[in-house]
C-alpha cells in the first residue's frame, strides 16, 4: 500500500513538472512571436500557457501588451488587471495599464497606475514622464512640470521629458522657460520635429516672429506634410505683414489638409489685408461650410463687410459670432464700430460697454465709447472714458481730451 502511494506521488510530481514546462514553452513561443510583431500568434500561445497555468501573472501581462498592440483595449485591460490581481508588485502590468488608459484619455486612472509604479520603483523615469503627460492633458501644468523634472533628474538626456516640460511651461505661460527646454531637446535630438514646432509657438507668443518662422521652417524640413507648421508659419508671416507669403503657406496647409477650416479662415483674413475681398469671402464661406459654429469666421467676415461699408451686414455677422462665442470681446467692439458708422450711437455704447466688461483693459474700447458719447452730448461721461483710454496707453485720446475735456 505504501509503495502504491509512493508511486502515485511520483507520477503526480512528474505530471505537475511536465505541466509547468509546457506552460513555460508556450510562454517562450509567445515571446518569440511577440518579438517578431506577430501579436495574433503570440496571443494564441499566451492563451495556451494560461490554460495550463492560470496563476502566471507575467503571461497575462504579455498577452495584454499583445492585445494593446492590436487595439483590443478592452481585453488588454482585463489581462493587465488579472496580472495585478495575481501579483500586486508586477510593475510592468501597472505601467502598461496606465499607458492604455492614457491612450483612452482616462487620465485620472492612468495617473493612479503610474503612481503605483513610482511607489514600487521610485527611480522609474518613464513612469514620471507618462504621469506628467497625463497631468498635462488634465491641464495640471505645475504638477506635470514637477513630474517631467523628476524624469530628467533620473535620466538627464531624456529628450521627450524636456519637450513635455517645455510644453507644460508654455501652457503655464512660462514661454521663456519653455524655449530653454525645447532648445535642450533639440540639442539632444536635432531632428526633434515636436521641439522645433513648439519652440516656434512660444517664440510667436513672445512676438519673435522671425525666430518662430525659422523654427516652423525647420519643422517643415523634418516633416513636409505638417499642415500645422505651415498654418503657424503663415500666422507669423502675417504679423510681419508678409501677406503674400502667408497666403502661400495657408494654401499649402489646405493642400495637405483639405478640410482645414482654420487655414481657410486665416487665409481669408489675410486676403482681406490685400483688399482681395471677393477671395476673402470665398474662403470664409468654405470655412463655415466645414465648421458651421466657427465664431472667428463670422467675425472676420464682418470685418470685411465693414471695410466694404456694408455696416448692417457686418453687424449681422458679429451677432452670429457672439451667439457662438458669447464672451467674444473683439466681436462686440467691432459691432460697436459698425453701429457707430450707422450713427446708432446708443447701440455702439452698449457694444463697447460689453467689450469692456469682458476685457477690462480694452483701451481702444474706452476710446471709441468716449467718441460715441461725444456724439450724443454726454461730455462728462465721454471724458471719463477718454481719460481711462489715455491711462491705458492711448496717445490719440489725449488730442480729444484737449478739445472736449478742458
Amino acid at each position: 500500500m505504501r509503495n502504491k502511494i509512493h508511486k502515485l506521488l511520483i507520477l503526480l510530481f512528474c505530471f505537475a513538472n511536465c505541466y509547468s514546462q509546457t506552460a513555460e514553452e508556450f510562454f517562450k513561443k509567445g515571446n518569440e512571436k511577440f518579438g517578431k510583431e506577430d501579436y495574433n500568434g503570440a496571443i494564441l500561445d499566451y492563451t495556451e500557457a494560461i490554460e495550463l497555468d492560470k496563476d502566471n501573472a507575467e503571461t497575462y501581462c504579455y498577452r495584454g501588451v499583445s492585445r494593446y498592440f492590436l487595439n483590443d483595449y478592452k481585453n488588454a485591460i482585463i489581462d493587465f488587471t488579472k496580472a495585478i490581481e495575481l501579483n500586486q508588485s508586477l510593475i510592468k502590468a501597472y505601467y502598461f495599464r496606465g499607458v492604455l488608459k492614457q491612450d483612452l484619455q482616462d487620465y485620472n486612472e492612468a495617473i493612479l497606475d503610474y503612481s503605483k509604479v513610482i511607489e514600487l520603483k521610485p527611480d522609474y523615469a518613464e513612469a514620471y514622464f507618462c504621469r506628467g503627460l497625463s497631468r498635462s492633458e488634465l491641464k495640471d501644468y505645475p504638477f506635470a512640470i514637477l513630474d517631467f523634472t523628476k524624469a530628467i533628474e533620473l535620466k538627464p538626456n531624456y529628450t521627450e521629458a524636456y519637450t513635455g516640460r517645455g510644453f507644460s511651461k508654455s501652457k503655464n505661460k512660462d514661454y521663456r522657460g519653455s524655449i530653454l527646454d525645447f532648445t535642450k531637446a533639440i540639442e539632444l535630438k536635432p531632428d526633434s520635429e515636436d521641439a522645433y514646432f513648439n519652440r516656434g509657438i512660444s517664440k510667436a507668443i513672445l512676438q519673435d516672429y522671425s525666430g518662430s518662422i525659422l523654427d516652423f521652417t525647420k519643422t517643415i524640413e523634418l516633416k513636409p506634410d505638417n499642415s500645422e507648421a505651415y498654418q503657424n508659419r503663415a500666422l507669423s508671416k502675417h504679423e510681419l505683414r508678409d501677406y503674400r507669403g502667408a497666403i502661400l503657406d495657408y494654401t499649402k496647409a489646405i493642400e495637405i489638409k483639405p478640410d482645414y477650416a482654420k487655414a481657410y479662415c486665416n487665409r481669408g483674413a489675410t486676403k482681406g489685408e490685400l483688399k482681395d475681398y471677393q477671395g476673402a469671402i470665398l474662403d470664409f464661406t468654405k470655412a463655415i461650410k466645414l465648421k458651421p459654429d466657427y465664431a472667428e469666421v463670422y467675425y472676420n467676415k464682418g470685418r470685411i463687410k465693414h471695410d466694404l461699408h456694408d455696416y448692417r451686414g457686418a453687424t449681422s455677422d458679429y451677432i452670429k459670432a457672439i451667439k457662438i462665442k458669447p464672451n467674444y470681446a473683439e466681436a462686440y467692439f467691432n459691432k460697436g464700430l459698425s453701429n457707430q458708422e450707422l450713427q446708432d450711437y446708443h447701440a455702439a455704447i452698449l457694444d463697447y460697454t460689453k467689450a469692456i466688461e469682458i476685457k477690462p483693459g480694452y483701451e481702444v474700447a474706452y476710446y471709441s465709447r468716449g467718441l460715441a458719447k461725444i456724439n450724443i452730448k454726454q461730455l462728462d461721461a465721454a471724458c471719463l472714458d477718454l481719460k481711462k483710454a489715455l491711462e491705458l496707453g492711448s496717445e490719440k485720446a489725449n488730442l480729444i481730451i484737449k478739445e472736449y475735456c478742458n
Side-chain angles (χ1 to χ4, degrees), residues 49-64:
I50 288 166
E51 286 296 317
L52 295 169
D53 183 359
K54 292 181 169 59
D55 296 324
N56 192 317
E58 291 273 348
T59 313
Y60 282 103
C61 185
Y62 278 93
R63 188 173 70 174

Side-chain angles (χ1 to χ4, degrees), residues 365-380:
Y366 280 105
Y367 174 79
S368 298
R369 189 171 71 175
L371 294 183
K373 286 176 179 177
I374 287 171
N375 279 291
I376 58 172
K377 310 301 182 187
Q378 292 182 2
L379 293 184
D380 290 342

Side-chain angles (χ1 to χ4, degrees), residues 229-342:
Y230 280 104
Q231 148 76 14
N232 281 280
R233 189 172 72 175
L235 289 172
S236 290
K237 286 180 178 179
H238 183 109
E239 292 294 339
L240 293 175
R241 299 187 179 182
D242 177 10
Y243 300 128
R244 296 190 188 284
I247 287 170
L248 288 174
D249 275 344
Y250 288 133
T251 301
K252 185 65 179 178
I254 290 164
E255 283 177 16
I256 296 166
K257 188 179 177 183
D259 60 348
Y260 203 167
K262 184 186 287 188
Y264 278 107
C265 175
N266 290 326
R267 189 174 70 175
T270 305
K271 286 178 178 178
E273 296 288 351
L274 293 172
K275 311 294 184 192
D276 177 10
Y277 297 124
Q278 184 178 358
I281 295 293
L282 286 173
D283 275 342
F284 294 144
T285 302
K286 180 66 175 179
I288 290 167
K289 186 177 179 182
L290 290 167
K291 189 177 177 183
D293 61 345
Y294 199 166
E296 285 74 14
V297 179
Y298 288 106
Y299 168 75
N300 283 311
K301 196 175 173 188
R303 291 185 65 190
I304 295 295
K305 288 182 180 177
H306 182 99
D307 287 350
L308 291 170
H309 309 296
D310 177 10
Y311 303 120
R312 294 192 189 283
T315 56
S316 176
D317 279 328
Y318 293 135
I319 288 167
K320 288 174 183 174
I322 291 163
K323 186 176 180 181
I324 296 165
K325 189 177 175 181
N327 290 328
Y328 203 161
E330 291 77 12
Y332 277 107
F333 171 72
N334 281 277
K335 181 165 165 278
L337 292 179
S338 292
N339 277 323
Q340 197 157 335
E341 290 291 346
L342 292 168

